[in-house]
Amino acid sequence: MERRSFLKNGLMLGCSAAAAPLVTPVAMAAAPWDTRLVVIILRGAMDGLDVIQPYGDRDMAALRPNLPVGEAGQALDLDGFYALHPHFAALKPLYDAGEFGAVHAVSTPYRDKRSHFDGQDILEAGLPDLTGGGLRDGWLNRMLQVMPGLEADVAYAIGREQMLVLTGDAPAQRWSPDANLNISPNARALLNVVHHDDPLFRDASAEAIEIAEQIAMGEAEAEETADMMAASPMMEAVRSNGEHVRIAEFAATRLRADTRIASFSINGWDTHARQANAMRRAAGALTDTILTLKAGLGPVWEKTAILCMTEFGRTARENGSTGTDHGTGGALLYAGGALRGGQVKGSWPGLGDADLYDGRDLMPTRDVRAYAAWVMRGVTGLDATTLEQAVFPGLDMGSDPSILL
Amino acid sequence: MTFDPTLAEIRFGNGLSPVVAAPVSVDAMLSALEGPDRFGAAFPIPTYAEVYPSPLDIRNASRAVNQALENGGLEEAEAARDEMRAAAREAVGTFIARQMARDVTTTDAFRERLVRFWADHFSVRPVSGGIRHLVSPHIEAFVRPYVAGSFADLLVAAATSPMMIYFLDQHQSMGPNSQAAQRRDRGLNENLARELLELHTLGVGGDYRQTDVRELAELLTGLTANAQRGTQFRRQQAEPGAETVLGVTYGGDEESIDHIIAVLRDLAVHPDTARHLATKLYVHFVGPDVAEDVVARMAAAYLATDGSLMALYDGLLGSDEAWDPQLHKVKQPYDFIASSMRALAPPTEDILAATLQDVRRLVQRPLAVMGQTWQSPLGPDGWPEEAEDWITPQGMAGRITWAMQAPKEIIHRLPDPREFVGHALGDRAPDAVVFAAGAAETISDGIGVVLASAAFQRR
């Protein structure tokens, strides 16, 4: 089938589903697959070389005299070549249990201008570049567009931020745990009247009211999440109960029910200065999030695949303020019982002067979209042609890296 | 399509008010803007140099605590520091209340909108929690005085302001061959240089390369700031020698801030900058489908006047598209609250008497739910423009909740909703909204459906 007709079919389904009155508070049988996919966007450009440190590379230490790696930086050895940054130590037990892993030297197709905003747009749009003039939708949404007949709450964008990756014509829910809405039936009916002629407002208000009602009815599930987390020894490692923890709790609650896809962001990776300090906050937020998901998902963790992706890597050399600047190649982190953790995948390009991209950055050896595509293929059963044409236009998926169990 | 006073208030101002008359013409709007800033003066917010606690006050208070650790007197030093922190928190509430008083009472509302537009164009974020109260004084000093002047002056003021320097790590950047770098083993940081080209001047589609970013970053070295004196030039940090940005060579003689100002002034009047600014203004005020001829005329007038912002505004307000009766934009959350306040028209002294708790409950927390945490855009690119970014289920939950619940806390006696439709929407009130206002069960629901209506949320 042509990509166009795929998109068209998905688009028609998406529109009709979004426009239909959302009257059933409890969703019908949700998705034809059972594995949960969580995509976390790490905004700010995570320094893959610092998080998953190639300390076995002979050139690494010299590039970063003030950002020590491996034993010198109290990192935790993973496989004799790579070591885990100490601020990620809470994830080492998951690595050992095969539930946390990484892929190194990957990137989106974005090159050279190294702008966060363009880099994130390309990452979330899943496109080779932005020259096509259109950021119409994100790749998670396009995946939904080719799956007919899904309920909107199959997919959730969570948090206050706009998630381009899940934006598009296919219906997807968006919610922040701190929004609430409590209005009378009469006021609700009058809102329909004043929004009737404006589809943007009409759909957003209808969804807001529906989600608020679902959440009110789902109090029992939320309590269950809290109980499961209180009972989990993993939660002792969670240091804070900031917004990211509430987002992860909310995600876990939805994913235990009908939701199959959740996406949100964790910010704070733009470590231009004093990287050791800046990394502490961001790493804490990410490790807390993964541990909260594990605890909150309970048995569903075994059927969960979490991908943590960033817009690009950072310079191989440290800069003048014990930080790193915008680079190219970096790392993909992944977790969950559905994935084959306990390993660092990827083809390592080396860090010698001639090995670096543009003489400054880690050389990407594979398109990060290929890993996402193979995981999506395993999770949903979509064929490679659809993934390469409709979901990630222009991608060559290559061989199966088999990170899905 | 010609000037319409109701559209002037809704699209280019803070919405209609039952007690403030709308402007009578484009000329009246522009001459008010060129005249004195009456409402800024009536509800003063201190500038960055005047604010208490100042960056220096804050630094001295923490130093005093550190010294007391060794020399004694810790309790007093900590009490003084905590008192200062409390004053900083209170100041945020005071500044929001004063800004709201300006927005509700002004007859020169286009100025307030432009201040927000340019403050967003030059977005900064406080780099730590204890200095949130500095953002309004930063805007007061480095944005507000320049919105009706030349863009070059605005660019120089905003891009070299202390908050911008800290936000984009410019104080950390040292020329690789500078004295400071050789002594302290530090080097270049490209962050400010990149955003200057990508966001502040040429725009990301502009005609520049990575080498221009690098050369500009080297030229910017030496530009730094400290708590005592604000922005300053430290020659020891500056990269020696000349740098070439977009084909023009700067410096070469003694390192000086003059070379930095020279490159900023050149960037300000680059044709790509003219186009970028004209497009951005058009998209912000009129809508996403840019009329290329209008933008081209605006850019040409801007370049012909050596970068006059008034020429850009004149071109925008003089276009037919500016007065298209169809509304293509939605109000950002702060503007939604401000325009609701303006339609409700509470007594000015009540606005000014708001406590920090009032401001948090009625403004700051609702803004966060609506997706616009006060003065905290995620990055230097500021808030999004697309209607779809704001009118989400969650954003609407926040807007509806505010519309239904906040007004009764803001004015003692809510107006009859049937009358309020006219206050809020004037002659543009759709029949559906008129009907809904009269059909609500309670007065507060009636006010709520008017404020939550698509007709009121759009501009």
Side-chain angles (χ1 to χ4, degrees):
Chain A
M1 196 184 264
E2 292 286 317
R3 176 183 164 228
R4 281 171 62 111
S5 56
F6 260 112
L7 286 172
K8 200 167 150 220
N9 286 342
L11 210 134
M12 282 160 52
L13 284 160
C15 286
S16 60
L22 297 157
V23 283
T24 33
V26 179
M28 300 183 297
W33 74 90
D34 199 33
T35 304
R36 275 62 166 178
L37 176 60
V38 180
V39 174
I40 304 177
I41 305 290
L42 306 175
R43 293 183 200 277
M46 179 184 78
D47 185 13
L49 288 173
D50 203 13
V51 175
I52 305 293
Q53 302 170 353
Y55 79 110
D57 187 298
R58 63 201 165 120
D59 293 310
M60 181 68 197
L63 292 166
R64 304 219 168 159
N66 295 298
L67 293 170
V69 295
E71 217 172 321
Q74 279 106 49
L76 295 91
D77 174 61
L78 295 176
D79 60 2
F81 184 80
Y82 293 109
L84 184 65
H85 191 285
H87 294 334
F88 287 81
L91 298 182
K92 181 65 165 47
L94 272 66
Y95 182 89
D96 295 337
E99 295 176 350
F100 171 67
V103 181
H104 228 312
V106 286
S107 78
T108 71
Y110 182 57
R111 293 291 182 275
D112 297 339
K113 271 203 174 178
R114 302 182 179 89
S115 144
H116 290 302
F117 321 119
D118 284 353
Q120 289 171 23
D121 281 350
I122 290 205
L123 169 65
E124 294 186 73
L127 300 174
D129 56 55
L130 297 176
T131 54
L135 281 184
R136 278 184 55 258
D137 46 19
W139 53 268
L140 275 177
N141 193 278
R142 285 199 302 276
M143 183 192 96
L144 296 172
Q145 289 170 27
V146 299
M147 312 285 286
L150 299 179
E151 294 290 319
D153 72 347
V154 163
Y156 254 92
I158 308 171
R160 294 195 204 106
E161 241 161 279
Q162 172 82 357
M163 299 296 296
L164 172 64
V165 69
L166 200 41
T167 303
D169 289 323
Q173 298 284 27
R174 179 176 173 208
W175 202 250
S176 161
D178 57 6
N180 60 37
L181 187 61
N182 185 11
I183 55 171
S184 73
N186 172 277
R188 180 180 166 169
L190 293 176
L191 284 173
N192 282 337
V193 173
V194 299
H195 291 152
H196 181 268
D197 295 335
D198 195 319
L200 177 66
F201 282 85
R202 187 182 61 212
D203 294 349
S205 298
E207 283 179 39
I209 290 165
E210 194 213 11
I211 297 168
E213 285 178 357
Q214 280 188 25
I215 288 168
M217 294 176 74
E219 290 287 303
E221 283 172 4
E223 271 176 40
E224 203 185 320
T225 299
D227 288 349
M228 285 166 66
M229 294 195 352
S232 167
M234 291 306 283
M235 294 308 289
E236 284 168 22
V238 174
R239 285 159 294 181
S240 67
N241 56 359
E243 191 193 8
H244 57 280
V245 172
R246 287 189 293 131
I247 287 174
E249 286 172 4
F250 180 82
T253 304
R254 306 310 304 179
L255 289 163
R256 281 212 319 279
D258 292 326
T259 297
R260 293 293 176 271
I261 291 173
S263 187
F264 49 89
S265 14
I266 295 179
N267 306 332
W269 301 94
D270 196 17
T271 50
H272 284 283
R274 296 185 305 280
Q275 177 155 318
N277 289 338
M279 188 67 88
R280 182 187 302 276
R281 227 198 96 260
L286 180 55
T287 56
D288 288 354
T289 296
I290 290 174
L291 295 179
T292 303
L293 284 171
K294 179 175 162 73
L297 285 166
V300 176
W301 172 258
E302 296 307 324
K303 304 186 274 193
T304 298
I306 304 169
L307 301 178
C308 311
M309 305 166 84
T310 193
E311 63 262 37
F312 40 73
R314 306 190 71 84
T315 47
R317 294 179 190 85
E318 66 183 35
N319 67 11
S321 41
T322 36
T324 48
D325 290 324
H326 301 182
T328 309
L332 161 78
L333 308 181
Y334 63 87
L339 295 178
R340 201 185 306 273
Q343 58 177 348
V344 180
K345 305 276 291 188
S347 159
W348 184 246
L351 291 170
D353 279 350
D355 303 323
L356 297 176
Y357 176 79
D358 204 11
R360 54 179 265 164
D361 303 335
L362 177 64
M363 176 72 75
T365 54
R366 194 164 182 189
D367 191 328
V368 70
R369 299 180 300 162
Y371 288 88
W374 278 107
V375 169
M376 282 158 95
R377 185 183 167 160
V379 167
T380 64
L382 282 176
D383 63 83
T385 313
T386 304
L387 287 163
E388 288 176 340
Q389 291 180 2
V391 178
F392 289 122
L395 173 70
D396 175 3
M397 283 172 67
S399 61
D400 186 356
S402 58
I403 59 170
L404 195 74
L405 279 172
Chain B
M1 289 175 274
T2 52
F3 176 84
D4 168 6
T6 304
L7 272 181
E9 287 287 66
I10 291 175
R11 181 168 293 152
F12 296 102
N14 289 322
L16 295 171
S17 161
V19 293
V20 181
V24 296
S25 65
V26 167
D27 284 348
M29 291 171 73
L30 294 175
S31 57
L33 183 58
E34 279 184 305
D37 178 9
R38 287 170 45 212
F39 293 86
F43 306 107
I45 293 173
T47 63
Y48 197 80
E50 298 161 349
V51 65
Y52 175 82
S54 70
L56 186 61
D57 296 331
I58 293 166
R59 193 191 71 182
N60 287 344
S62 15
R63 281 194 179 168
V65 170
N66 289 338
Q67 281 162 7
L69 282 170
E70 290 174 14
N71 308 334
L74 185 62
E75 218 163 283
E76 292 84 344
E78 283 184 334
R81 183 198 58 191
D82 292 348
E83 203 174 306
M84 189 175 290
R85 286 181 178 168
R89 285 193 296 272
E90 287 288 335
V92 174
T94 306
F95 300 160
I96 291 176
R98 295 210 183 148
Q99 182 55 47
M100 193 62 83
R102 292 173 175 174
D103 285 315
V104 169
T105 61
T106 184
T107 53
D108 180 15
F110 189 38
R111 181 193 303 271
E112 302 301 334
R113 292 286 307 285
L114 288 168
V115 171
R116 284 200 280 287
F117 174 84
W118 291 114
D120 184 71
H121 183 78
F122 292 105
S123 280
V124 297
R125 279 179 70 127
V127 290
S128 68
I131 57 166
R132 285 184 221 282
H133 69 295
L134 295 180
V135 181
S136 292
H138 156 86
I139 294 169
E140 211 63 16
F142 303 113
V143 178
R144 190 170 180 104
Y146 301 99
V147 300
S150 98
F151 178 69
D153 292 343
L154 173 62
L155 174 66
V156 169
T160 69
S161 65
M163 291 203 79
M164 186 70 78
I165 287 170
Y166 290 129
F167 177 43
L168 296 179
D169 306 313
Q170 177 59 29
H171 60 303
Q172 308 264 7
S173 185
M174 298 182 193
N177 301 303
S178 67
Q179 295 168 29
Q182 311 210 320
R183 219 174 36 242
R184 296 180 54 198
D185 194 23
R186 291 182 164 231
L188 201 64
N189 187 307
E190 293 177 356
N191 218 1
L192 177 61
R194 179 178 305 284
E195 307 309 5
L196 266 170
L197 292 170
E198 178 183 324
L199 298 175
H200 301 154
T201 62
L202 275 64
V204 73
D207 187 18
Y208 66 93
R209 304 276 175 276
Q210 170 68 28
T211 48
D212 295 309
V213 174
R214 174 96 192 172
E215 293 275 303
L216 180 57
E218 290 185 359
L219 189 58
L220 289 172
T221 54
L223 177 67
T224 180
N226 67 26
Q228 194 155 13
R229 281 180 292 175
T231 299
Q232 57 160 333
F233 187 78
R234 278 188 77 228
R235 189 161 295 127
Q236 306 92 296
Q237 273 179 241
E239 178 69 2
E243 327 296 340
T244 302
V245 181
L246 301 173
V248 181
T249 302
Y250 299 89
D253 49 358
E254 196 175 2
E255 297 77 49
S256 146
I257 198 165
D258 297 344
H259 305 312
I260 296 173
I261 291 171
V263 74
L264 292 178
R265 290 194 173 279
D266 286 348
L267 290 172
V269 293
H270 191 284
D272 287 350
T273 302
R275 211 184 152 69
H276 178 215
L277 300 181
T279 306
K280 202 169 163 180
L281 275 165
Y282 189 101
V283 167
H284 181 76
F285 284 100
V286 179
D289 297 322
V290 175
E292 294 298 337
D293 56 328
V294 176
V295 163
R297 279 200 302 273
M298 289 167 72
Y302 172 86
L303 292 173
T305 53
D306 212 18
S308 154
L309 292 172
M310 292 304 291
L312 282 178
Y313 311 150
D314 189 39
L316 182 65
L317 295 178
S319 71
D320 284 351
E321 286 78 358
W323 307 103
D324 180 356
Q326 181 122 23
L327 307 178
H328 301 285
K329 300 288 294 183
V330 300
K331 294 171 182 171
Q332 292 186 6
Y334 175 82
D335 288 35
F336 159 58
I337 292 182
S339 62
S340 300
M341 297 277 291
R342 193 165 160 97
L344 291 163
T348 311
E349 55 271 25
D350 288 5
I351 300 175
L352 296 173
T355 64
L356 179 59
Q357 283 65 38
D358 295 335
V359 171
R360 284 185 176 166
R361 189 177 70 256
L362 296 169
V363 182
Q364 286 185 278
R365 278 184 216 131
L367 283 179
V369 173
M370 294 177 215
Q372 192 172 40
T373 305
W374 175 248
Q375 291 179 338
S376 301
L378 276 177
D381 55 340
W383 298 112
E385 286 292 343
E386 294 76 16
E388 291 75 13
D389 283 338
W390 299 110
I391 304 308
T392 61
Q394 177 196 326
M396 273 317 289
R399 288 177 192 237
I400 293 168
T401 301
W402 195 95
M404 300 280 176
Q405 290 169 10
K408 59 181 179 247
E409 296 196 54
I410 289 164
I411 45 177
H412 299 303
R413 228 186 113 89
L414 289 172
D416 185 318
R418 288 167 297 183
E419 205 178 300
F420 182 70
V421 181
H423 298 176
L425 293 165
D427 51 8
R428 298 185 49 88
D431 292 343
V433 181
V434 174
F435 162 78
E441 282 176 327
T442 63
I443 292 177
S444 57
D445 277 5
I447 303 293
V449 292
V450 173
L451 295 178
S453 70
F456 185 77
Q457 300 278 338
R458 285 194 179 273
R459 62 170 26 149

